Amino acid sequence: MTSRVLVAYATKNGSTAEIAEAIGKELESSEVQVTVSNMKDVSSLEGYDAVVIGAPMYMGKVLKDCGVFAERYRNTLCSLPVAAFAVGIAPVEPRSGSVDDVLRKLAVSLVPVQPVSATVFAGKLDVEGLSFVYRKMVSLLKVPGGDFRDWKVITEWARGIRPLLVKQ
Ligand SMILES: Cc1cc2nc3c(=O)[nH]c(=O)nc-3n(C[C@H](O)[C@H](O)[C@H](O)COP(=O)(O)O)c2cc1C
């Protein structure tokens, strides 16, 4: 029987969406049908057998959409296998906060949903493409720009969560 998996992401500047797409591609198979969607566009979890939730960090917080989504679908999410990832600059720049701290914040934003797996991926900071206010914040924080996403790490995580999300 085909399993249906939703990869629901939050994003401001698009890099988490691209990570979600890569995870979706890795999970997709003849037995697993994957939908990748901005969590703002999700109107129901009906028919899904598992959910992957991903959200970026901004100013020491998990993007608010993540908590809103977890709260809105808390009952269904508590009854399904859920895997979660946060995206930030913390894995490559400790001045933005520790990875453990990001994991704690991700867990808090998902309460009462308890993921079967949770991780933090290094993200992308395209300083030129940011709004004036964000550029100012980034320069004050002395956070480096660049694309730090490690696609090998991302696809390996996706492969690892597959048996936790769907029966094979
Ligand atoms: C204004 C600003 C604040 C940020 N704050 C944090 C932070 O507190 N911790 C962190 O790890 N990364 C932080 N980042 C890095 C973002 O999480 C990273 O750029 C991520 O890839 C953005 O995801 P998005 O493109 O999906 O919006 C910040 C980036 C910006 C522009």
Side-chain angles (χ1 to χ4, degrees):
M1 206 182 84
T2 308
S3 298
R4 288 189 65 208
V5 177
L6 172 67
V7 182
Y9 63 85
T11 188
K12 262 185 192 292
N13 290 296
S15 64
T16 307
E18 289 169 356
I19 293 175
E21 289 289 350
I23 290 170
K25 213 164 150 194
E26 195 59 41
L27 291 173
E28 181 96 34
S29 72
S30 52
E31 298 92 42
V32 182
Q33 191 190 325
V34 180
T35 303
V36 181
S37 177
N38 189 314
M39 52 182 77
K40 280 183 179 167
D41 300 328
V42 175
S43 55
S44 165
L45 294 187
E46 211 181 306
Y48 289 113
D49 302 297
V51 181
V52 180
I53 297 174
M57 296 295 294
Y58 277 89
M59 306 308 290
K61 291 181 181 158
V62 178
L63 197 63
K64 202 171 146 218
D65 297 1
C66 182
V68 171
F69 180 80
E71 175 58 30
R72 182 168 179 201
Y73 295 109
R74 57 187 288 169
N75 292 339
T76 313
L77 290 172
C78 284
S79 69
L80 293 176
V82 171
F85 64 94
V87 177
I89 229 70
V92 287
E93 177 47 71
R95 273 178 299 179
S96 329
S98 72
V99 168
D100 282 349
D101 190 45
V102 172
L103 276 174
R104 263 193 303 276
K105 285 173 175 165
L106 178 62
V108 168
S109 97
L110 292 173
V111 165
V113 181
Q114 298 223 338
V116 291
S117 176
T119 194
V120 183
F121 296 127
K124 177 184 173 187
L125 202 56
D126 176 11
V127 181
E128 292 304 307
L130 293 174
S131 68
F132 175 76
V133 177
Y134 276 174
R135 267 207 311 274
K136 204 89 198 131
M137 288 174 184
V138 165
S139 91
L140 283 173
L141 290 168
K142 296 191 172 61
V143 174
D147 189 348
F148 304 102
R149 292 171 297 176
D150 185 332
W151 299 106
K152 190 165 172 278
V153 168
I154 291 164
T155 49
E156 269 171 13
W157 183 75
R159 229 170 292 145
I161 59 169
R162 173 187 256 273
L164 304 174
L165 297 180
V166 294
K167 290 189 197 84
Q168 294 181 314

